[in-house]
Amino acid sequence: MPFSVLDLAPVVSGATSGDALRNTLDLARRTEGLGFHRYWLAEHHTMPGIASSATSVLIGQVAAVTSRMRVGSGGVMLPNHAPMVVAEQFGTLEALFPGRIDLGLGRAPGTDQATARALRRSPDALSVDDFPEQVIELRNYFAEDSAVTPAAGNEPPVWLLGSSGYSARLAGLLGLPFAFAHHFSAENTLPALALYRDTFRPGTLTEPYSMIGVAVTAAESDERARELAAPQALSFLRLRQGRPGKLPTPEEAAAHPYTPLERQMIDSRLADQVMGGPETVKRQMDALIERTGVNEVMVTTQVFDHADRIRSYELLAELYDLKAAEPPAARGL
């Protein structure tokens, strides 16, 4: 079972975007050494606690400081961009780092409508309804006879990302690999994966290949893991309340005066995570893998201290002996 990394370049309280981006490069180097298979960056905009907005730029930086692991987008929100521009960007990356780039595509804007309009500068292009046509247009730019340089002949593996059934069905119909956002849409995980497998027709792949994004906080004990997970739960709560900010400290999260409704939201958020000491994490992760039947797990860990974040990935790598694992060679993924 390959394990991979999803990074949002979190900006923590008291730090800068530059600090977050340098931590991203450090985490990429370290997780490659631990045996993780791929490293994806997520596109979000106008969020003070996320520094991965210029996704293609950051992918190039991560690929440059690593040598083995695949690097890609988890994902590029295609409605925000002209498909030709995305083709040029990722054709460039694939030309520079052949065989190591992934292009994960999402159909949501990843931000509010005003920001999406500023990104695309065309109100008529903000609809997600033309996502299938955008995907096909984008892939055509990578054809060998395309006039778009350096995209022509440099198509990286294209993944579809989703948090509902829409992209699951489309990925199945196009025969593409599919990644589901279990970390923030856990209730839809099993139906979406079933829909992907049921609708799959051979295309780029001859058989389905699925991955789930999972929020993981591993520590030396269950109690310590819950302490480390509290800041990102508070950050999520503030986002839901329309008050996005930097990732708070554990002390701030512990001192927050939660209302009963807020506490219920926090508990629900944490219940969908894999969280605890080594034995608890192994038990929860094994159960999740068995329940979903996925081919790969992509781990996102949002904790305040960079050292604690690294340690969480170290513990997971030790539990699954990732250094000794053979990377999946089949299907070029």
Side-chain angles (χ1 to χ4, degrees), residues 43 45 53 76-86 89 119-120 134:
E43 177 188 346
H45 300 279
S53 54
V76 163
M77 300 296 104
L78 195 51
N80 292 340
H81 310 284
M84 181 175 166
V85 173
V86 177
Q89 292 171 346
L119 285 165
R120 192 68 183 264
Q134 289 181 311

Side-chain angles (χ1 to χ4, degrees), residues 118-203:
L119 285 165
R120 192 68 183 264
R121 295 190 178 276
S122 173
D124 296 333
L126 297 178
S127 173
V128 299
D129 295 335
D130 62 348
F131 182 66
E133 290 75 17
Q134 289 181 311
V135 173
I136 293 170
E137 178 187 347
L138 169 61
R139 298 196 67 197
N140 285 338
Y141 292 131
F142 290 111
E144 292 284 351
D145 59 354
S146 169
V148 180
T149 304
N154 283 313
E155 182 179 18
V158 173
W159 291 67
L160 294 192
L161 282 55
S163 57
S164 65
Y166 185 99
S167 292
R169 180 187 298 274
L170 182 60
L173 292 174
L174 296 179
L176 294 172
F178 176 62
F180 187 81
H182 175 81
H183 56 297
F184 64 80
S185 186
E187 69 279 4
N188 292 320
T189 301
L190 295 182
L193 291 173
L195 183 60
Y196 170 60
R197 292 165 184 146
D198 290 344
T199 58
F200 184 86
R201 299 187 308 200

Side-chain angles (χ1 to χ4, degrees), residues 236-252:
F236 177 78
L237 175 64
R238 289 172 172 171
L239 176 64
R240 289 295 192 197
Q241 294 172 338
R243 299 184 295 117
K246 294 183 177 181
L247 188 68
T249 67
E251 292 76 18
E252 186 179 354

Side-chain angles (χ1 to χ4, degrees), residues 6 39-43 55-56 59 71-77 86 90 93 101-106 157 159 161 179 211 298:
L6 174 63
Y39 197 103
W40 280 8
L41 289 307
E43 177 188 346
T55 314
S56 60
I59 289 170
V71 187
S73 57
V76 163
M77 300 296 104
V86 177
F90 280 81
L93 290 166
I101 302 299
D102 295 326
L103 175 51
L105 301 172
W159 291 67
L161 282 55
M211 175 168 67
M298 177 160 278

